[in-house]
Amino acid sequence: MDELRYRKDLFEGTAEYYDRFRPPYPDELIDDLRARVPLDATSRVLDLACGTGQIAFALAADVAEVLAVDQEAEMIELVAHKARRLGVANVHAIAATAEAVPLDGCFDLVSIGNAFHRLDRDAVAGRLAAHISDGGCVALLWSGPPWLGEPPWHRVLDETLTQWRDALGARDRVPEGWEEAIDRDPHEQVLRRAGFTYEGMFEFSAVERWTVESLVGFTYSTSFLNRAVLGRQAAAFEEELRGQLLACRPDGVFEQELSFMFELARRVA
Ligand SMILES: C[S@@+](CC[C@H](N)C(=O)[O-])C[C@H]1O[C@@H](n2cnc3c(N)ncnc32)[C@H](O)[C@@H]1O
């Protein structure tokens, strides 16, 4: 498939919001991942498109080293700062693209959280095949967004974000037809093409109790309607969203069963 191209600065200004407002991957998911991949105190993990390091920090205590790579310098600065603040010496943050980051030696796990669709998938999967130890894995982690669900506030959130994104001319931050393109050539197929054995998709859920503040914060962590997109319209956006959400739920509590999953593919010699 022709890979969809995303701009390289889509997450500018999002790092603090990302770190604070993105719900973490649940412990059950991280435990299950650890149980399926041969990780021990000698292991090396590569966390590609690491963002603020949700996966990197969750795995760091179990392994020798985590290389956390992201193309946006702001994300990498936050990861490096967090590692210093928490005294985590084995997370090394590198500003580079997943397609071009220099890779030395082999990794036991390559994790890619909420990002594989943004990458040149064939190029990345192809180069990883040469840098994963025998029996080692690629894990694609995913989490559902707050606008998916039955209760009316999900639809109100979705419609409000879509209207603001369109009004601000930010539609092109998500390439047209990306979901159809992935349906035509699923991640599983890309990983198999690169020589990996696909082991399946493992699903989890966790209850999130959102507030207006955390839903606004989540929005500011996205690539399509963050502070850089909203500019001076941010206050007006927040006021409208708050009004719309509280009209649905005057108590200001927006509970959701959030879905999380990971797809696992193994290198078998
Ligand atoms: C939605 S965030 C995911 C962050 C984190 N992995 C997680 O699971 O929450 C997507 C991240 O992918 C990064 N990214 C997108 N394309 C990239 C590429 N080609 N190379 C490296 N990083 C990339 C963005 O800068 C952003 O930090």
Side-chain angles (χ1 to χ4, degrees), residues 33-259:
L33 177 61
R34 263 196 221 102
R36 292 176 192 277
V37 181
L39 292 180
D40 63 29
T42 66
S43 301
R44 297 182 79 214
V45 173
L46 175 63
D47 185 21
L48 286 179
C50 64
T52 56
Q54 284 84 342
I55 305 168
F57 286 103
L59 293 173
D62 300 319
V63 300
E65 180 184 34
V66 184
L67 295 192
V69 175
D70 199 284
Q71 67 185 6
E72 300 225 13
E74 197 188 312
M75 295 289 190
I76 288 307
E77 277 161 28
L78 193 145
V79 171
H81 182 259
K82 203 198 290 190
R84 280 195 299 276
R85 181 166 51 82
L86 299 176
V88 177
N90 64 341
V91 170
H92 305 295
I94 301 167
T97 64
E99 292 80 359
V101 61
L103 297 177
D104 64 322
C106 269
F107 298 89
D108 303 285
L109 172 65
V110 178
S111 55
I112 305 175
N114 282 320
F116 194 50
H117 60 296
R118 298 180 177 276
L119 310 182
D120 182 338
R121 297 180 303 162
D122 279 306
V124 171
R127 70 187 300 239
L128 289 181
H131 288 281
I132 295 188
S133 51
D134 188 18
C137 294
V138 179
L140 309 180
L141 282 68
W142 304 103
S143 50
W147 48 83
L148 280 189
E150 287 302 316
W153 70 265
H154 295 287
R155 183 180 44 76
V156 162
L157 176 65
D158 190 25
E159 285 174 5
T160 308
L161 302 194
T162 303
Q163 278 159 15
W164 276 84
R165 184 201 65 183
D166 292 353
L168 293 167
R171 222 193 166 95
D172 63 344
R173 296 172 75 92
V174 179
E176 196 72 41
W178 75 272
E179 280 165 315
E180 294 78 4
I182 302 288
D183 286 347
R184 281 195 302 276
D185 189 21
H187 303 315
E188 171 177 355
Q189 206 163 287
V190 176
L191 293 168
R192 287 188 191 278
R193 222 166 26 240
F196 292 97
T197 301
Y198 188 84
E199 297 197 348
M201 162 104 81
F202 305 94
E203 301 189 48
F204 303 83
S205 67
V207 172
E208 183 70 22
R209 286 167 69 83
W210 300 98
T211 61
V212 172
E213 188 202 10
S214 64
L215 287 168
V216 168
F218 184 98
T219 305
Y220 290 165
S221 79
T222 67
S223 61
F224 68 92
L225 198 60
N226 53 45
R227 294 296 295 252
V229 176
L230 281 153
R232 291 156 72 164
Q233 304 286 326
F237 161 74
E238 286 184 32
E239 192 182 329
E240 184 182 328
L241 185 61
R242 174 171 290 105
Q244 299 276 8
L245 287 170
L246 292 178
C248 294
R249 295 277 327 179
D251 64 359
V253 178
F254 304 89
E255 194 168 292
Q256 179 185 25
E257 183 150 339
L258 262 183
S259 62

